[in-house]
Amino acid sequence: MKFLLLLLLFSSSAVLANSRVIGTGGVTSIEGSAGGGIVPWAVINGYHSTDEWSANSFISRVSVDDFTLNSAGVGVGLNNRWELSYARQQFKLDTIGGQLRQDIVGVKYRLTGELLYTAMPQISIGAQYKRHLDFDLPAAVGARSRDGVDLYLAASKVWLDAIAGRNLLLNATVRATKANQTGLLGFGSDDSNGYKLMFESSAALLLTHHLAVGVEFKQKPNQLAFADEQHWRDIFVAWFINRNLSVTAAYTDLGSIAGLSSQQGWYLSLEGSW
Amino acid sequence: MKLWKLMVLLFCGSGLLACSSQPTPSLYQQLGGESGIAAITDGLLHQIEHDPLIVNHFRDTDIPRFRDLLAEQLCELSGGPCVYSGATMEESHTGLNLTTRDFDRLVNHLITVMQQRDIPYSAQNRLLALLAPMYSEVVER
């Protein structure tokens, strides 16, 4: 937060405003970074443009067969260049019993490109610092660390008038991570503490100025010996009601989690932006 | 795969894949021809006039001439029977120090005007796709 205040001080000319085209901030992922639902994109959150800043918040729930993931968070963006975010996740073990919580602080910096305007895709780098709050259980199943840092490089581009007069967004993200189940089962394992490179991607078609449908894929490592970890995927509909409010619904397949296979169910997210 | 099937269903349900035997009208026609483009141009000028954040960029502009050239450019871009007679985008924007924010606001104003005039979404995107590459010729010059 000190960093954020410094940023705002150094750019005291920036005003709270929303000059960007609707939809160009994506939605807020379960980790608090702007993107799709499970993949961070190169987009910067909110609708502020250069010389502007904006703030946003979200709440989301993923309900699959044996688990529920509640996420909530806040973020700010500056100059369509910087994004800072904080999210708290609560992963409820509905069948097993108990809960696992983690905090995620994210920062993202846009390196180059303008999502809508340049031939060069918008490219951003980001980091997510994650800290587990209920580490006893992850430790008991072989996780090495309570906290970890994910680093990612993301490229996003919108092709205007791409398919049947609709605009198409494609995103590709490469993430270096030590996280087990995105950190919900801690970081590293008894016999592995190295970073793994994972590929994540999303495709979205804007059916109107206010409605997008898309798919996402998130590759995941498989480090803990006690149970298999699998890749995640979802299919989503995002409704940008206006620049201040959006709702996203998805059907998601989280694969096997903690020995319970084929975890599928619904994702719902509500977010506000100012 | 289940998700894939669901996606196909959603896309088909939205009517995007419905085959049409109608030839696509030209963008010029979709924008309403000469009178439609004149109305879009006037609508955009009205939006600019009421946007205090960008109107100052036009304080030294000969508005009637700007209006004619903009209409001419939109006509030519959309495949209409016009030839744009103005300066290149680089020439006409050098020294204005336009920012991405200015460009974003102009794009939003154009979308607002096209929405007000019930221009089909696909035609809006066709025009935006023609205008977007001008970003690098216009901003920070």
Side-chain angles (χ1 to χ4, degrees):
Chain A
M1 282 297 126
K2 271 182 197 162
F3 179 54
L4 159 66
L5 287 173
L6 277 176
L7 267 180
L8 288 176
L9 275 176
F10 280 121
S11 347
S12 51
S13 62
V15 295
L16 182 66
N18 290 299
S19 290
R20 256 153 66 203
V21 174
I22 194 162
T24 55
V27 299
T28 304
S29 68
I30 52 174
E31 294 170 318
S33 306
I38 58 175
V39 177
W41 296 353
V43 302
I44 302 296
N45 60 17
Y47 293 116
H48 64 278
S49 184
T50 48
D51 306 317
E52 298 176 345
W53 67 283
S54 65
N56 66 296
S57 65
F58 80 102
I59 48 169
S60 70
R61 169 171 289 196
V62 185
S63 296
V64 293
D65 297 82
D66 299 299
F67 304 95
T68 305
L69 175 64
N70 294 314
S71 306
V74 291
V76 292
L78 178 69
N79 272 337
N80 193 20
R81 180 68 70 182
W82 288 96
E83 171 185 302
L84 289 136
S85 60
Y86 164 77
R88 162 75 58 94
Q89 293 183 335
Q90 177 202 36
F91 190 61
K92 295 170 75 176
L93 315 174
D94 301 328
T95 305
I96 301 166
Q99 66 171 4
L100 301 169
R101 293 166 302 156
Q102 68 171 341
D103 283 336
I104 304 168
V105 175
V107 58
K108 190 192 293 181
Y109 177 78
R110 180 172 64 85
L111 293 170
T112 186
E114 278 285 340
L115 184 70
L116 293 179
Y117 308 137
T118 57
M120 164 79 81
Q122 182 160 325
I123 297 174
S124 299
I125 50 169
Q128 293 171 339
Y129 170 74
K130 302 178 174 183
R131 183 173 178 80
H132 211 288
L133 303 176
D134 306 288
F135 190 59
D136 290 352
L137 194 148
V141 298
R144 181 186 290 252
S145 308
R146 175 190 293 274
D147 49 17
V149 177
D150 282 6
L151 302 168
Y152 63 88
L153 178 70
S156 308
K157 180 169 169 54
V158 167
W159 280 267
L160 298 163
D161 183 29
I163 298 173
R166 267 63 186 174
N167 304 334
L168 176 70
L169 178 145
L170 296 180
N171 176 83
T173 301
V174 177
R175 181 195 298 253
T177 184
K178 296 180 179 181
N180 307 310
Q181 296 291 6
T182 75
L184 293 166
L185 288 178
F187 303 83
S189 67
D190 293 335
D191 43 40
S192 161
N193 194 37
Y195 273 102
K196 301 280 190 298
L197 273 186
M198 294 290 132
F199 179 73
E200 305 175 9
S201 67
S202 311
L205 193 64
L206 283 98
L207 300 179
T208 73
H209 287 297
H210 298 275
L211 197 66
V213 295
V215 291
E216 292 189 285
F217 170 78
K218 180 185 181 73
Q219 187 188 20
K220 310 223 328 305
N222 186 12
Q223 305 178 105
L224 294 178
F226 92 105
D228 258 350
E229 174 170 351
Q230 294 179 326
H231 309 320
W232 285 3
R233 60 203 86 205
D234 70 64
I235 170 168
F236 67 85
V237 179
W239 180 26
F240 301 100
I241 298 168
N242 53 44
R243 280 191 185 73
N244 300 119
L245 193 63
S246 73
V247 181
T248 308
Y251 187 76
T252 184
D253 180 355
L254 305 185
S256 181
I257 299 178
L260 299 170
S261 65
S262 191
Q263 296 297 316
Q264 298 185 353
W266 294 95
Y267 162 98
L268 191 66
S269 178
L270 177 71
E271 67 180 276
S273 184
W274 300 271
Chain B
M1 195 164 77
K2 270 188 208 165
L3 282 172
W4 177 246
K5 280 181 188 164
L6 190 55
M7 181 182 164
V8 169
L9 271 176
L10 265 176
F11 278 33
C12 292
S14 68
L16 288 179
L17 300 180
C19 287
S20 167
S21 56
Q22 299 283 321
T24 315
S26 78
L27 180 56
Y28 179 70
Q29 287 169 317
Q30 286 185 299
L31 296 175
E34 188 184 345
S35 63
I37 285 175
I40 291 170
T41 306
D42 288 339
L44 192 56
L45 285 173
H46 182 265
Q47 293 282 324
I48 291 169
E49 189 188 337
H50 291 87
D51 183 346
L53 294 178
I54 60 173
V55 70
N56 62 325
H57 291 304
F58 293 83
R59 62 175 178 254
D60 297 328
T61 303
D62 175 351
I63 297 297
R65 182 168 174 274
F66 174 77
R67 178 187 176 278
D68 290 348
L69 285 173
L70 179 57
E72 201 172 80
Q73 189 180 32
L74 292 177
C75 170
E76 183 187 78
L77 267 179
S78 63
C82 313
V83 178
Y84 174 62
S85 60
T88 66
M89 286 292 100
E90 287 103 323
E91 285 166 358
S92 55
H93 294 86
T94 297
L96 291 179
N97 294 314
L98 298 180
T99 64
T100 301
R101 179 202 208 183
D102 299 324
F103 197 84
D104 280 332
R105 295 187 76 83
L106 195 63
V107 169
N108 275 312
H109 292 323
L110 178 60
I111 291 172
T112 301
V113 170
M114 290 192 292
Q115 287 284 86
Q116 284 167 352
R117 296 199 51 76
D118 291 327
I119 306 291
Y121 182 60
S122 58
Q124 294 184 26
N125 291 331
R126 285 172 76 185
L127 183 58
L128 292 174
L130 294 169
L131 295 172
M134 294 177 182
Y135 170 82
S136 56
E137 300 164 6
V138 164
V139 169
E140 277 155 30
R141 296 223 153 241

